[in-house]
Amino acid sequence: MIYWDVFLAFFIPNVIGYGGGPAIIPLIEAEVVGRYDWMTAQTFAETLALGNALPSPIATKMAGYIGYEVAGIGGAVVAVVATVVPTLLLMLGALGLLYRHRESPRVKRMSQWVRPVIAMMMGWLTLGFLLESINTSGTVHTLIIGAIAALALVRFNIHPAYVVLGALAYGGLLLG
């Protein structure tokens, strides 16, 4: 039964999510933290931060790690399959259909309407992480990490993986 739950926890977000890994993270969080209670929001945030620091797509890394934590190697395999296979099949079908109707005004409007929904979901996830960070690390540390991260990303164009590693080092040294 646990394998079925792991499968559904990653299959559903990957079927209804649109926009790739970052867009489905809030949906995965809703399943893993909200529905199945396999992780706390803090642990999920830490897993996401670590996953962002590593190469390869975020959704498969999250699926593999969470699946392993929940149900061992079998859980990792089930979670990764549930993440990759539906996306691959839907992508092939959708690309064929969209390519055939690429000049259609309806197709163009459809993708314009989806973008704000994804932006709102990412904003909601970010707000949740911000509030969790304030609750666990405090406002001062959250503002310091946020300001330094924003400066590093925007002003100095530092790769996000290095920014995440820097935040992990800060947390390990000053908050550990």
Side-chain angles (χ1 to χ4, degrees), residues 128-162:
F129 286 158
L130 175 67
L131 296 175
E132 183 69 26
S133 177
I134 289 170
N135 287 337
T136 58
S137 302
T139 305
V140 173
H141 289 295
T142 299
L143 290 175
I144 290 170
I145 292 171
I148 291 171
L151 187 65
L153 290 167
V154 176
R155 177 77 169 109
F156 297 109
N157 201 25
I158 296 175
H159 192 278
Y162 296 125

Side-chain angles (χ1 to χ4, degrees), residues 1-2 33 46 49 56-57 59 61 66 68 79 83 89-90 97 123 126 143 152-153 157:
M1 189 64 174
I2 190 68
V33 175
E46 291 168 359
S56 77
K61 290 181 287 192
I66 295 168
Y68 181 79
T83 299
L89 295 176
L90 287 170
L97 186 63
T126 302
L143 290 175
L153 290 167
N157 201 25

Side-chain angles (χ1 to χ4, degrees), residues 107-143:
V107 170
K108 290 179 181 179
R109 279 194 309 271
M110 179 183 69
S111 52
Q112 288 174 346
W113 278 94
V114 169
R115 289 182 191 139
V117 172
I118 293 169
M120 290 304 298
M121 290 172 63
M122 293 298 293
W124 189 254
L125 180 67
T126 302
L127 178 62
F129 286 158
L130 175 67
L131 296 175
E132 183 69 26
S133 177
I134 289 170
N135 287 337
T136 58
S137 302
T139 305
V140 173
H141 289 295
T142 299
L143 290 175

Side-chain angles (χ1 to χ4, degrees), residues 40 73 100-101 125 127:
T40 65
I73 293 173
R100 228 174 308 148
H101 301 286
L125 180 67
L127 178 62

Side-chain angles (χ1 to χ4, degrees), residues 76-113:
V77 170
V78 168
V80 170
V81 166
T83 299
V84 174
V85 171
T87 304
L88 178 65
L89 295 176
L90 287 170
M91 184 178 68
L92 291 173
L95 283 176
L97 186 63
L98 290 173
Y99 186 76
R100 228 174 308 148
H101 301 286
R102 67 183 174 270
E103 298 302 322
S104 167
R106 287 183 180 167
V107 170
K108 290 179 181 179
R109 279 194 309 271
M110 179 183 69
S111 52
Q112 288 174 346
W113 278 94

